Amino acid sequence: MMRAAAVTSARPAARLSPVRRVKNLLMGALILLATLLVVAPLILIFVYLLREGLGALNLDFFTRTPAPEGEAGGGLLNAIAGSLEMLAMASVIGVLVGVAGGIFLAEYPRHPLMPTVRMLSDVLAGIPAIVMGLVAYSLIVLRFGFSGLAGALALGFLMIPIVVRTTEEVLKLVPLSVREAGLSLGLPQWVVILNIVLPAAAGGIVTGVMLALARVAGEAAPLLFTAFGNSSVNLDPTRPMSALPLEIYRGATSAYDENQRLAKAGALLLITLIFLTSLLARRASRVKR
């Protein structure tokens, strides 16, 4: 009886007072308003591109190269093929260096080079994309000319700090007991990392790689100094190569309506690809291993 009385007497205290209820509703409304302010620009951009560029997403868009300036028709096959190839090459650079750097920071925290590697990763994360383009321009373009490889190198540099940070944080989530179990069997540390720790964190690492790809897929500035662009389909990485961000930039600054229409369609395709990549990354992060 005493317990029931105590519960009964506690119930009125658990109810929100009118002032607290008003504060709760006010804060909820402010949070909703802030969320709308963040999401509204993205929705407006997407709606604008749907209205202006959806009509240009036809079969010609995916199967033909751009028509001469001002003429109707044509597509962005050269840009789509170039973007896919450069992103694939950039992934090789970004994943290999980024995952290796993340492993080093997470698994060897007492190594004397660890502070230097962390500082370099943080500096890379803050360097503007156009500066990365200038670095690739100095390393490759001045010696060998414009090429898709130079563009891939610039994009790979942009991917490295994102993959490094993601890999480090994901590896830190793997319990220490997992490492100790492998070491207790007499396995070397590098074998434990490659065969036990990395498979346990593979889902998070894949998420980081996909987010890095989504980050660099829309970069046009570094490609202006490196890939330069190409009006025809080119799969040779040693020659100039086009990309979606380049064609979007050039079409948007063109004086002809047809070029602007293709640029808006290209922007719609690029945003859709980035959105799908982000969704796949979220899905990969939820996969339990």
Side-chain angles (χ1 to χ4, degrees), residues 2 7 23 35 38 56 92 110 112 115 117 126 145 168 203 219 229 231 233 255 259 282:
M2 293 179 61
V7 173
K23 289 182 178 179
T35 303
V38 172
V92 175
R110 298 181 181 179
V117 175
E168 179 189 3
E219 290 291 347
S231 59
V233 177
N259 297 99
R282 291 178 62 87

Side-chain angles (χ1 to χ4, degrees), residues 4 8 11 17 23 42 101 124 137 143 149 170 176 222 235 248 267 270 272 279:
T8 304
R11 283 178 180 174
S17 64
K23 289 182 178 179
L42 178 61
L124 279 176
Y137 177 84
R143 293 173 174 83
L149 184 61
V170 170
L176 183 61
L235 300 180
I248 292 170
L270 186 60
T272 303
L279 285 182

Side-chain angles (χ1 to χ4, degrees), residues 77-91 213 235 241-244 273:
L77 175 61
N78 57 330
I80 296 172
S83 287
L84 292 177
E85 184 170 348
M86 280 192 284
L87 287 176
M89 291 188 292
S91 297
L213 281 173
L235 300 180
M241 187 176 292
S242 186
L244 278 173
L273 292 177

Side-chain angles (χ1 to χ4, degrees), residues 116-234:
T116 303
V117 175
R118 183 179 298 279
M119 182 192 68
L120 290 175
S121 176
D122 293 340
V123 170
L124 279 176
I127 293 179
I130 194 170
V131 176
M132 293 295 191
L134 290 174
V135 171
Y137 177 84
S138 301
L139 292 176
I140 296 183
V141 175
L142 290 180
R143 293 173 174 83
F144 307 104
F146 296 102
S147 65
L149 184 61
L153 182 65
L155 298 181
F157 285 160
L158 292 172
M159 289 182 63
I160 288 174
I162 304 174
V163 179
V164 167
R165 182 57 57 87
T166 305
T167 302
E168 179 189 3
E169 296 301 326
V170 170
L171 290 178
K172 288 180 178 179
L173 296 177
V174 178
L176 183 61
S177 58
V178 174
R179 297 173 175 84
E180 293 175 344
L183 294 173
S184 65
L185 297 175
L187 298 175
Q189 186 176 6
W190 68 270
V191 174
V192 173
I193 294 172
L194 291 180
N195 296 329
I196 298 177
V197 179
L198 277 181
I205 295 174
V206 170
T207 300
V209 172
M210 297 179 74
L211 291 176
L213 281 173
R215 158 72 174 81
V216 304
E219 290 291 347
L223 300 182
L224 291 171
F225 299 98
T226 53
F228 190 70
N230 197 327
S231 59
S232 61
V233 177
N234 172 44

